[in-house]
């Protein structure tokens, strides 16, 4: 049922619960053996088609670690699914949620598996989240309509930025607004007061990508080390039973 609270909570947990991120050493540890990203790729390369490898490299070209999406007080699992799909489609790697709603609504929109490719982080308060974002050197830009909000087209997204969007009912919290470095608004030409949160997210990320491409020459910005790590992890996510294959090949090598 669409409004079943238990079903909604389970779906929200499935989408947002922090799993192994790309920083987790688990991806490179196999029965005590520590492998490099290059070694992982070498062991799995024969199990991927040339077309799949080319696709992975193309996505890596446009992946960004310095544009981060934060969703505060999420309520509707369908909107979260849509925003995950949008964020991943725009090359965003890190997706943060701040769980302050406690009660959720479930809808049937799908993420199309976008959560598989994202680094997901879940926080219990805006302050807790912002402390971590600032540790990473990110500035905080909140989507919110107020007198000081800059029109979306005028915002400089070239510095490392965490874009914060609020929930479907109340928007960004007062606590988050006091922590933000800047607020941004999407100009509206019609009678409605705001866009759906998933639509607003898409508009903001599109503007950010265009601004970053114009200012930096490219939206993608992963360095060589990060690219190698993501490649090795994505190979594992793309090959069925990847860990079993790696363990078997390691055993075969040790027995020679």
């Amino acid at each position: 049922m669409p409004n079943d609270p238990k079903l909604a909570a389970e779906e929200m947990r499935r989408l947002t619960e922090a799993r192994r991120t790309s920083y987790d050493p688990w991806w490179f540890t196999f029965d005590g053996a520590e492998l490099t990203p290059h070694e992982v790729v070498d062991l799995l390369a024969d199990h991927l088609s040339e077309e799949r490898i080319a696709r992975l490299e193309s996505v890596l070209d446009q992946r960004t670690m310095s544009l981060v999406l934060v969703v505060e007080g999420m309520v509707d699992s369908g909107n979260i699914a849509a925003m995950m799909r949008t964020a991943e489609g725009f090359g965003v790697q890190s997706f943060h949620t701040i769980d302050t709603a406690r009660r959720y609504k479930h809808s049937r929109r799908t993420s199309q598996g976008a959560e598989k490719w994202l680094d997901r982080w879940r926080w219990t308060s805006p302050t807790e989240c912002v402390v971590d974002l600032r540790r990473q050197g990110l500035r905080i830009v909140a989507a919110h309509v107020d007198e000081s909000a800059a029109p979306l087209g005028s915002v400089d997204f070239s510095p490392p930025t965490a874009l914060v969007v609020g929930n479907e009912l109340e928007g960004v919290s007062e606590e988050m607004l006091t922590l933000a470095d800047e607020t941004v608004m999407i100009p509206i030409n019609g009678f409605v007061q705001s866009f759906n949160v998933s639509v607003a997210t898409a508009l903001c990320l599109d503007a950010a990508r265009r601004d970053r491409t114009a200012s930096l020459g490219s939206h993608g910005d992963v360095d060589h080390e990060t690219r190698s790590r993501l490649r090795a992890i994505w190979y594992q996510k793309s090959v069925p039973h990847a860990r079993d294959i790696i363990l078997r090949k390691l055993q075969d090598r040790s027995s020679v």
Side-chain angles (χ1 to χ4, degrees):
M1 296 176 60
N3 294 319
D4 184 336
K6 182 178 179 180
L7 179 61
E10 290 175 353
E11 178 63 6
M12 191 68 80
R13 189 180 307 112
R14 183 190 72 81
L15 287 169
T16 64
E17 197 169 49
R19 305 294 176 89
R20 290 187 172 91
T21 70
S22 61
Y23 299 94
D24 195 326
W26 176 87
W27 293 105
F28 304 99
T29 305
F30 300 87
D31 276 0
E34 299 288 337
L35 301 184
T36 66
H38 177 77
E39 288 172 325
V40 170
V41 167
D42 183 61
L43 290 168
L44 293 176
D46 290 344
H47 298 270
L48 290 169
S49 67
E50 291 183 2
E51 291 78 11
R52 183 58 176 174
I53 291 174
R55 176 61 174 165
L56 292 175
E57 294 300 320
S58 175
V59 174
L60 281 169
D61 287 341
Q62 292 302 318
R63 213 60 166 183
T64 176
M65 308 295 284
S66 64
L67 178 62
V68 170
L69 182 62
V70 182
V71 184
E72 183 191 10
M74 64 280 188
V75 173
D76 191 318
S77 65
N79 279 336
I80 287 290
M83 285 186 279
M84 284 185 165
R85 179 176 172 183
T86 298
E88 202 286 321
F90 277 105
V92 171
Q93 181 63 29
S94 295
F95 188 99
H96 295 250
T97 53
I98 303 173
D99 185 6
T100 56
R102 310 305 177 191
R103 291 181 62 83
Y104 314 103
K105 176 183 176 182
H106 177 61
S107 59
R108 297 184 180 278
R109 278 177 291 177
T110 175
S111 66
Q112 289 198 340
E115 68 274 13
K116 174 181 178 179
W117 306 104
L118 297 170
D119 286 338
R120 290 172 285 164
W121 311 86
R122 185 169 179 163
W123 308 96
T124 57
S125 74
T127 298
E128 181 186 32
C129 178
V130 169
V131 166
D132 184 75
L133 296 173
R134 293 209 187 281
R135 178 185 59 79
Q136 299 176 52
L138 296 161
R139 90 190 213 278
I140 314 302
V141 176
H144 178 73
V145 178
D146 60 24
E147 293 182 356
S148 63
L152 179 59
S154 68
V155 176
D156 180 9
F157 284 99
S158 59
T161 300
L163 173 66
V164 182
V165 296
N167 69 26
E168 306 84 344
L169 301 176
E170 300 173 350
V172 177
S173 70
E174 289 297 326
E175 181 180 354
M176 178 59 77
L177 289 175
T178 63
L179 296 167
D181 299 298
E182 185 177 358
T183 54
V184 58
M185 62 172 290
I186 303 171
I188 292 178
N189 302 119
F191 291 109
V192 298
Q193 293 182 332
S194 65
F195 292 102
N196 172 275
V197 64
S198 60
V199 172
T201 298
L203 291 171
C204 288
L205 291 181
D206 179 60
R209 180 175 63 179
R210 286 187 282 109
D211 181 71
R212 287 163 55 83
T213 301
S215 301
L216 305 174
S218 174
H219 177 53
D221 59 12
V222 294
D223 57 33
H224 177 73
E225 180 181 351
T226 302
R227 186 182 182 109
S228 296
R229 186 177 73 245
L230 287 175
R231 180 188 294 113
I233 293 170
W234 291 358
Y235 271 47
Q236 293 180 66
K237 291 183 176 184
S238 298
V239 175
H241 311 295
R243 292 188 69 84
D244 291 339
I245 291 170
I246 291 173
L247 287 169
R248 186 179 69 248
K249 288 188 175 184
L250 291 175
Q251 291 171 355
D252 291 343
R253 288 182 179 182
S254 64
S255 63
V256 174

